Amino acid sequence: MTHPDSHATAPVVIVGAGGHGRVVADIFLAAGRAVAGFLDDRVVGPVSGLPVLGPFARALDPGFGRGRALIVALGDTTRRVDLSQAVLRAGAGLATAIHPFAILAGGTQIGAGSTVAAAAVIGTGATVGRFCIVNTAAVVDHDCALGDGVFLGPGVRLCGGVVVGAGAFIGAGAIVLPGVRIAADARVRAGALVDVDFGIG
Ligand SMILES: CC(C)(COP(=O)(O)OP(=O)(O)OC[C@H]1O[C@@H](n2cnc3c(N)ncnc32)[C@H](O)[C@@H]1OP(=O)(O)O)[C@@H](O)C(=O)NCCC(=O)NCCS
């Protein structure tokens, strides 16, 4: 199995040096990818043994992204999506973080700027949009479709054919039954059992 982005070689800059940023750094290091460091407004390095190269705004400096790939590692969905889109507009490339111990069915599509953490499983025919977070041990079973900016907490289980609208947040350990649709920007409680469409007009 070949992970998407696994042939990329440009050193990665991780935008956000908090808890999720360190998770993303660990993913790239586990995958053997060079990490140049972090950008963060408040955190002073080193973090996970890596330097903090400057504030968030540096991600948008002309030329900063040249020869590098950036990934926005902020848990807050609005900030993650907005900053990722600004990075793209500034002409930089987005990295995709896929842990080598995630399991992805052949041909799985993962959008640029997304993160798939350790022990996550993505089934055949599933698609994951851009700027998503599929957290530790989350399951996205066959034929699910996740829009841009979706957040799945640790241990979420999406059964086959679940459709999740852009920007939706699904809390840790929630279970979504087959074929259920979750609306864009919806918030599903941690531990919820979702057996009917959620937030769909
Ligand atoms: C759904 C959620 C966003 C609601 O947050 P909130 O609007 O701030 O709600 P509150 O914390 O004020 O709780 C309101 C009530 O709902 C209850 N409640 C909140 N979340 C609950 C959950 N997941 N399951 C059951 N009850 C819950 C609270 O106990 C509280 O009950 P009370 O009024 O009887 O005291 C939040 O509880 C949640 O589930 N977040 C997900 C966290 C997560 O998985 N993060 C991933 C990190 S990697």
Side-chain angles (χ1 to χ4, degrees), residues 135 151 153-154 169 171-172 187 189-190:
N135 249 307
F151 177 98
F169 173 99
R187 285 177 83 80
R189 281 181 166 185

Side-chain angles (χ1 to χ4, degrees), residues 113-174:
S114 287
T115 295
V116 179
V121 179
I122 315 254
T124 184
T127 56
V128 175
R130 303 173 301 164
F131 332 131
C132 291
I133 297 177
V134 177
N135 249 307
T136 310
V139 173
V140 177
D141 217 322
H142 66 90
D143 302 312
C144 286
L146 276 54
D148 288 348
V150 167
F151 177 98
L152 303 185
V156 164
R157 281 165 283 171
L158 304 183
C159 298
V162 167
V163 178
V164 185
F169 173 99
I170 304 187

Side-chain angles (χ1 to χ4, degrees), residues 1-12 27-34 69 94-102 104-114 116:
M1 174 183 47
T2 304
H3 285 165
D5 206 34
S6 60
H7 301 298
T9 53
V12 175
I27 291 172
F28 283 117
L29 296 173
R33 180 97 175 250
L94 285 179
T96 305
I98 300 173
H99 197 287
F101 291 160
L104 276 63
T108 303
Q109 303 289 317
I110 309 285
S114 287
V116 179

